[in-house]
Amino acid sequence: MLATARLQLQHLPAHLTRASWPGQLTILEEALSHLDALDARWQETRAQLPEGTGPGSAAYVDALDEHHAECWSYLDDWACHGRVVLDIQAAARRASSRPKRPQLPTLTSPRSGHGARGR
């Protein structure tokens, strides 16, 4: 999704974009990277919990609360800037739906000999 938005942004005409969009995409990419790392760490933490320490137990809830606390700022980045992906998609649709300049037919004058048959 982010890679698609980044690619679309590169191909959009400047008049359909906002200067803030590249920076917002960078914020989202960095937040996603941190969330991926935190998820991997959470998986390790869960695996290291003592046998029988599952959802609902005090140790599990404490570990999960800590994990969630570490994730909040990155989730907040997504809440604040995630709309940019939709904005870029909308701009890409506008760009692709804009009519191309039509080729106007060459008009000929009846006096030039090209417009009249059999004369």
Side-chain angles (χ1 to χ4, degrees), residues 37-93:
L38 288 169
D39 182 59
R41 201 162 85 203
W42 167 243
Q43 299 303 322
E44 291 172 8
T45 300
R46 275 184 46 191
Q48 294 172 359
L49 288 173
E51 181 91 20
T53 306
S57 69
Y60 187 94
V61 169
D62 289 346
L64 185 58
D65 285 347
E66 184 178 327
H67 169 68
H68 286 163
E70 292 172 328
C71 293
W72 275 118
S73 68
Y74 304 114
L75 294 172
D76 187 56
D77 287 341
W78 270 87
C80 292
H81 302 287
R83 175 91 190 153
V84 71
V85 175
L86 300 174
D87 293 341
I88 292 170
Q89 174 62 23
R93 283 188 176 184

Side-chain angles (χ1 to χ4, degrees), residues 5 11 15 21 33-34 37 40-41 49 52 56 66 73-74 91 95 101 117:
H11 296 287
H15 72 278
W21 288 356
S33 177
H34 287 288
R41 201 162 85 203
L49 288 173
E66 184 178 327
S73 68
Y74 304 114
R101 283 189 137 171
R117 291 188 182 184

